[in-house]
Amino acid sequence: MAQECKYNKLTAGLLALFLGGFGIHRFYLGETSSGIWYLIFCWTGIPEIIGFIEGIMYLVMSDEEFNRKYCYPERYVEEHVVVHHVEEQPYQRPPTPVRNAPLPQRKAKVQAWLVSKDGRNYQLNLGSTAIGRSSDNDVRLMDPEISKHHAKIIESGGHYKLLDLGSTNGTWVNGKMVSGPVMLRSDDEVRFGDSYHLQFVAAER
């Protein structure tokens, strides 16, 4: 028997349109942390604009897509890592290597981004991505609380690992301070200092 969705698309849309500036629709959808940020910055007027846009998106979204995204998020995998089941193949002897033949370039199976709550995307490099306030970083975060060379994300075989580079104000993953290498998973919340709250999103290339 299909599980009934506890959220209503029309209710979410109307809350976003009329009370979006206070993040009421986010609280309704169970996204408490996002709702708190809306409350904190409601005086700027920006959450009201974002909430109005989100309200329209909810209302024009199909019921199936809304349910999949907000009622059954474990099924909402279009923007996240997709796992393919590989059928077992009979063993084949590898070809004899040719001396001095050029090695094929490695291609990562997964591309990843750091996404801010206001919609800014920071695409991560294949290999290594330096993060900090200095201009020589791949991802430059302009805030006094961010160290010049704050952290680094290393990609290897489609997996992404976060390292804190001895920053002054620290790095957190899902609310836990990073003290060593941490493997990132899609939808992890990554915080640099107290100023940048970003979401790690990974998707198949």
Side-chain angles (χ1 to χ4, degrees):
M1 181 180 296
Q3 183 180 2
E4 184 179 355
C5 179
K6 63 180 179 180
Y7 305 122
N8 181 272
K9 184 184 75 171
L10 178 59
T11 302
L14 292 177
L15 288 175
L17 288 174
F18 296 104
L19 297 173
F22 301 100
I24 304 302
H25 61 297
R26 291 288 187 168
F27 289 108
Y28 172 72
L29 293 173
E31 299 176 350
T32 305
S33 59
S34 297
I36 293 174
W37 280 106
Y38 276 66
L39 285 174
I40 293 175
F41 293 101
C42 65
W43 62 274
T44 65
I46 296 176
E48 184 175 359
I49 298 173
I50 298 175
F52 185 82
I53 296 173
E54 289 177 329
I56 296 175
M57 291 174 60
Y58 295 155
L59 295 177
V60 301
M61 186 183 296
S62 67
D63 292 339
E64 180 182 358
E65 184 179 0
F66 180 87
N67 292 341
R68 187 170 64 248
K69 185 172 182 180
Y70 295 103
C71 301
Y72 317 110
E74 67 276 5
R75 303 178 189 174
Y76 192 72
V77 297
E78 284 79 0
E79 290 82 15
H80 302 86
V81 178
V82 178
V83 178
H84 291 284
H85 297 282
V86 181
E87 296 182 359
E88 184 176 355
Q89 299 293 332
Y91 173 78
Q92 295 181 354
R93 183 182 297 276
T96 303
V98 180
R99 183 174 297 178
N100 298 328
L103 296 175
Q105 294 184 350
R106 177 179 59 82
K107 294 183 179 180
K109 296 180 181 179
V110 177
Q111 181 63 65
W113 297 262
L114 291 175
V115 182
S116 65
K117 295 183 182 299
D118 59 6
R120 287 178 293 176
N121 297 330
Y122 303 97
Q123 183 171 347
L124 303 180
N125 298 330
L126 301 180
S128 176
T129 302
I131 302 169
R133 194 176 73 248
S134 179
S135 60
D136 59 349
N137 287 285
D138 301 300
V139 175
R140 192 179 185 188
L141 304 178
M142 297 299 296
D143 191 280
E145 290 195 3
I146 303 300
S147 298
K148 290 183 178 180
H149 299 94
H150 197 103
K152 180 180 291 186
I153 296 178
I154 300 174
E155 176 273 327
S156 178
H159 300 284
Y160 290 80
K161 181 170 57 178
L162 174 64
L163 299 171
D164 184 271
L165 301 179
S167 63
T168 301
N169 293 308
T171 303
W172 282 260
V173 175
N174 296 327
K176 295 183 179 180
M177 191 172 188
V178 173
S179 58
V182 175
M183 192 67 67
L184 294 175
R185 294 175 175 83
S186 193
D187 282 343
D188 279 349
E189 182 183 23
V190 182
R191 175 161 63 93
F192 301 102
D194 290 324
S195 52
Y196 278 87
H197 294 250
L198 305 172
Q199 183 180 26
F200 174 79
V201 177
E204 185 183 17
R205 297 189 67 194

